[in-house]
Amino acid sequence: MTQVSPTRSWVDSANGHADFPLQNLPLGVFSPAGQSPRSGVAIGDRIFDLQAALDAGLFDGAAGEAILAMRDGQLNAFFELGRGARVALREQLLNLLREGSPRRDEIQAQGEKLLHLAENCQMHLPAKINDYTDFYVGIEHAQNVGKLFRPDNPLLPNYKYVPIGYHGRASTVRPSGTDVRRPKGQTLPAGQTEPTFGPCARLDYELELGIWIAKGNTLGEPIAIGDAAEHIAGFCLLNDWSARDIQAWEYQPLGPFLSKSFLTSVSPWVVTAEALEPFRRAQPARPEGDPQPLPYLLDKRDQAAGAFDIELEVLLLTEAMREQKLPAHRLTLSNTQYMYWTVAQMVAHHSVNGCQLQAGDLFGSGTLSGPQSGQFGSLLEITEGGKKPIELASGEVRKFLEDGDEIILRARCSREGVVSIGFGECRGKILSAR
Amino acid sequence: MTQVSPTRSWVDSANGHADFPLQNLPLGVFSPAGQSPRSGVAIGDRIFDLQAALDAGLFDGAAGEAILAMRDGQLNAFFELGRGARVALREQLLNLLREGSPRRDEIQAQGEKLLHLAENCQMHLPAKINDYTDFYVGIEHAQNVGKLFRPDNPLLPNYKYVPIGYHGRASTVRPSGTDVRRPKGQTLPAGQTEPTFGPCARLDYELELGIWIAKGNTLGEPIAIGDAAEHIAGFCLLNDWSARDIQAWEYQPLGPFLSKSFLTSVSPWVVTAEALEPFRRAQPARPEGDPQPLPYLLDKRDQAAGAFDIELEVLLLTEAMREQKLPAHRLTLSNTQYMYWTVAQMVAHHSVNGCQLQAGDLFGSGTLSGPQSGQFGSLLEITEGGKKPIELASGEVRKFLEDGDEIILRARCSREGVVSIGFGECRGKILSAR
């Protein structure tokens, strides 16, 4: 897509907005106060009500069809329509909301009915998630964590061949703002041979990119890597909350289970593949000696522009910091460039055995840590498993998360000569165990 | 439930039927030729059409409400109603279909409209599966396989404390009769350090009990083991098709993924908890020295009657055997008594961290092997990873499954003085890789 995009919107708050300028136009599902869930687009501090706008005659053709597919308050059927529907909707949205739009007066005349104040709305999951898969493509994280769990072989022999992933729990994915009840479970106290049962004492976050699947495939028919783009709808932030003590005891031999399934948080706005187009980049060169991807994971276009330059940030806000009105403490500043595999490679790998993907499936990238201190995407890495607590301006220290702590994920895409966009926040506050 | 059940049905084929006598009354979703999916009950060689029977005025009260909840051709909303609805439906069904039923003439007068010939119907999945979890509670299997993958520590230290499980792929669960396309994937040839890509060469079955979840729980609120029964709707057979060569290469560190997600087959009839009531038994005594379950996994009633006596069978039918009209070869004769954990313990464990279960979720038990030769629930165990091929009456040998092979799972519950019931079949035939 090489269209010349208009740069400013007549919705004032969009211009210069950190997350949602006219160039972003992310899709989501929201409820205005006391009303039922419906689809919308974030623009500045407002949400443009797609259903109401369609009813007002503001859309036609493929864009209108796209909005009709969102009628049940979920984006699944819209995702299934694929790239064409998204592009058509985006083009009409750009035309309606740009400075100088001929429809401006018509829209403004309807006031809050079409442009809700976002702060008055509740956000929902954008789609019914049929299956959620969590990958492990952050190689720096894999190395950091591998050292803690398996000092002798931090990176297993398959890592540079297989985009490692596992099935996650779909029923407990929730939108930003959902509180995190501290889970209970079995853990093995240090030096003991018998487990005890109680509240998780090593509660952690994991900074991930979320990927929303567009079109599905037929059972038994793999998606070729060159076709993967047609199956990717958009992106979000994902916090793969993790109970490290439960994980250490339960994860052999079949992988993480209850240590993750108590909650997974996502930012509610789907930043589309089209909005992220300007922030694509070539896959970083693989280190000398790393193997070439197998042919089913290799595609020239993907190598040339399959990666993203998205800055990722994690902030911590404790109860005491809120009371003392201290700013949130930055735990992580990382980037999607630390993904060893691209999203297209994940899609090709996931389906190569014939596994059926469906519209609205969610992928997590795996934790995206960088190699340096300050870039680690989990407390497990930052505190080296609790050995090096961090100090906060409030005078508190943290090895892992405590009750009342809030974790805030943010993401920002910037490039010289292009308007920056963001993802909105993914927040979650820890509640004490029941 | 200690009601005195009638023993015979006026539906002749039900009396003495191996699977579906009057005592079973399993629920499922079927399509008569060319018609849309609807709910039904298996009785002998017939399917009793619940929707049509409700329309004909044959049900009332809670049983009628139960059938109304099945209106969308899926049993999820019915499962969510819990035990009361199932029991009410069962009682009215027993009354309608027993010998001497006052409604017999009324039902027979409608002929095939109410009682379809099962062989003319297509079976579907009984419910929309939101999440599928595969457990690993067959301790003999865990030991047999552990020896092959980890000769030094076949049974890991957590096994006798944690009902080990992992999330499976819900989108690729299919009903009996669905062909199994041989998956392709990465495998590491013996003695090599670099993987190759191609069709799975070690395709296997796994004999499992499937469990359908009834009522769900609220996120963050565990299900106490004493309440687990209210959350269990019924049971089926489950074949967890496994690509052993793909599995061996991919499964570290996060567990099986593409080696399982190409297909999982289930028998289409939900054998209810009520039908299985006479076949409950006390949990087998744990071997001397085994730990007591932690308190959240311990319940007197569950210890006394939480296990099942269900005989499980696996048959193999090759292309050559079909041509030579040879009978199927029995690979496995096992029993659910080899489950180290009960279904109630699985439910309590799965939700103890607050994970939300939903009506229509599916659990697999894990492979249910016995300790003896002839009782192994997978070819991996039978042939010791391919080292000891089996010989068939057709003159063929098998290390793993070949194209054209069909695997048939069956189950049978028998007890002195009680009418036996079965599960119906779970079949799947291997197609060559694409």
Side-chain angles (χ1 to χ4, degrees), chain A residues 29 64 79 102 104 113 119 136 139 143 164 173 189 215 228 235 239 241 262 318 343 348 364 410 414 427 432:
Chain A
V29 174
F79 285 167
R104 171 182 176 162
K113 202 182 141 202
E119 64 184 19
Y136 195 57
I139 187 167
Q143 261 162 334
I164 296 287
V173 179
K215 267 189 187 172
F235 302 84
N239 189 341
W241 303 99
F262 55 97
T318 69
V343 175
R410 287 183 188 152
S414 313
R427 305 178 79 111
S432 60

Side-chain angles (χ1 to χ4, degrees), chain A residues 72-209:
Chain A
D72 57 357
Q74 292 177 332
L75 301 185
N76 299 67
F78 163 72
F79 285 167
E80 180 66 32
L81 294 174
R83 185 172 172 282
R86 285 200 314 275
V87 170
L89 179 60
R90 182 176 174 84
E91 284 178 359
Q92 292 195 24
L93 279 167
L94 284 169
N95 197 47
L96 290 172
L97 297 173
R98 69 179 165 81
E99 239 175 22
S101 164
R103 317 291 294 264
R104 171 182 176 162
D105 293 347
E106 206 178 326
I107 299 171
Q108 278 194 312
Q110 305 217 34
E112 282 258 352
K113 202 182 141 202
L114 288 189
L115 280 169
H116 306 266
L117 252 182
E119 64 184 19
N120 295 339
C121 298
Q122 191 195 343
M123 296 303 300
H124 306 284
L125 284 181
K128 165 85 178 79
I129 301 167
N130 290 300
D131 276 291
Y132 157 49
T133 299
D134 200 18
F135 282 88
Y136 195 57
V137 309
I139 187 167
E140 303 293 342
H141 171 76
Q143 261 162 334
N144 294 339
V145 171
K147 269 179 221 159
L148 297 172
F149 280 72
R150 297 174 303 276
D152 300 339
N153 51 350
L155 215 54
L156 294 166
N158 57 11
Y159 191 87
K160 291 180 174 177
Y161 295 95
V162 180
I164 296 287
Y166 72 106
H167 308 294
R169 181 80 193 177
S171 73
T172 52
V173 179
R174 288 291 186 282
S176 174
T178 305
D179 290 333
V180 186
R181 177 71 61 187
R182 180 181 298 275
K184 290 183 175 178
Q186 291 190 31
T187 60
L188 190 69
Q192 305 280 309
T193 56
E194 292 196 8
T196 56
F197 179 82
C200 165
R202 294 160 71 93
L203 188 55
D204 203 355
Y205 70 93
E206 287 194 345
L207 169 64
E208 303 197 12
L209 183 71

Side-chain angles (χ1 to χ4, degrees), chain A residues 54-69:
Chain A
L54 179 67
D55 293 345
L58 289 164
F59 291 96
D60 56 26
E65 300 287 332
I67 298 171
L68 281 177

